[in-house]
Amino acid sequence: MKYLHTAIAALLLISANLANAGWTLSNELSSVTLVTTKATHIAEVHHFKQLSGSVSPGKAKVVIDLASIHTNIDIRDQRMREMLFNTATFASATIKANVDTQALASLKVGEQLTQNLTGSLSLHGKTQDLDLGPVSIVRLTEGRLLVNNQRPILVNAGSFDLAAGVEKLRTVAGLPSISNAVPVSFHLIFEKK
């Protein structure tokens, strides 16, 4: 009986250590993409090349380097940095979320769980509450987690004082319209520190 209590105590300690273990975002293996719509029906997919982040007890954070926007057109990248994001003043966007790290600790390799996450988005000097919706979390290896949103997050430019920037882009590109609503998806790999 004494051995059983010792084994249970050891398992609880290991589980607590996993829950408290820090995780760091792998920039090379992760992506944040957005879809823009112009001229009513033309949709294009873009992504950011530089991401950082972490998961610590109860919290997750992802920082997006806005200057790393990649649209496959250099002049458009430059215009988005200068006219839309104003990266000279607002270099990054930050997503913070509340995470059940105890549930993460109990995941075995190959297992998946779904968490409905809420948090906030800080962008262009504004912070708004954010419903990340259902997020899939998969334990790929002992030291690696995959985190995907199951449906895109809709970010409205007007909520972050970006509507004027969208209008500048529309004017300079000579387009009839650019949508202020942008679906955002993420595929994140976190590695144990």
Side-chain angles (χ1 to χ4, degrees):
M1 191 68 159
K2 179 180 175 183
Y3 295 112
L4 180 60
H5 290 292
T6 303
I8 291 171
L11 286 173
L12 289 173
L13 182 61
I14 290 168
S15 179
N17 285 338
L18 281 173
N20 292 324
W23 298 81
T24 302
L25 183 76
S26 169
N27 180 64
E28 295 76 25
L29 300 174
S30 300
S31 64
V32 173
T33 58
L34 57 109
V35 178
T36 58
T37 305
K38 64 184 183 183
T40 309
H41 302 294
I42 302 170
E44 297 173 305
V45 178
H46 316 300
H47 71 277
F48 296 93
K49 291 183 172 182
Q50 294 297 317
L51 309 170
S52 61
S54 61
V55 176
S56 57
K59 300 180 192 291
K61 177 179 172 181
V62 174
V63 179
I64 302 166
D65 178 352
L66 297 173
S68 73
I69 185 72
H70 183 70
T71 67
N72 292 316
I73 299 174
D74 290 342
I75 189 65
R76 183 167 55 195
D77 293 350
Q78 178 185 344
R79 288 173 177 168
M80 288 182 79
R81 286 191 295 268
E82 294 172 2
M83 297 178 182
L84 179 64
F85 295 130
N86 186 13
T87 57
T89 304
F90 306 105
S92 63
T94 302
I95 300 169
K96 293 182 180 177
N98 301 311
V99 179
D100 181 352
T101 46
Q102 290 289 352
L104 297 182
S106 66
L107 271 180
K108 293 179 179 60
V109 173
E111 286 186 337
Q112 174 182 325
L113 68 86
T114 299
Q115 288 188 10
N116 286 305
L117 300 184
T118 58
S120 65
L121 171 61
S122 297
L123 172 63
H124 205 249
K126 302 286 182 189
T127 299
Q128 300 283 332
D129 289 339
L130 189 64
D131 179 5
L132 296 167
V135 173
S136 295
I137 303 168
V138 180
R139 186 84 172 243
L140 299 175
T141 67
E142 281 301 319
R144 188 173 280 179
L145 294 173
L146 166 63
V147 181
N148 284 322
N149 55 337
Q150 292 183 357
R151 61 179 181 242
I153 304 160
L154 282 178
V155 177
N156 192 296
S159 299
F160 296 94
D161 287 343
L162 293 170
V166 172
E167 180 59 19
K168 285 180 189 176
L169 290 174
R170 186 200 67 74
T171 301
V172 76
L175 294 168
S177 65
I178 297 177
S179 176
N180 280 334
V182 178
V184 178
S185 297
F186 55 82
H187 171 91
L188 307 174
I189 298 288
F190 289 92
E191 296 177 324
K192 196 184 298 184
K193 293 181 188 177

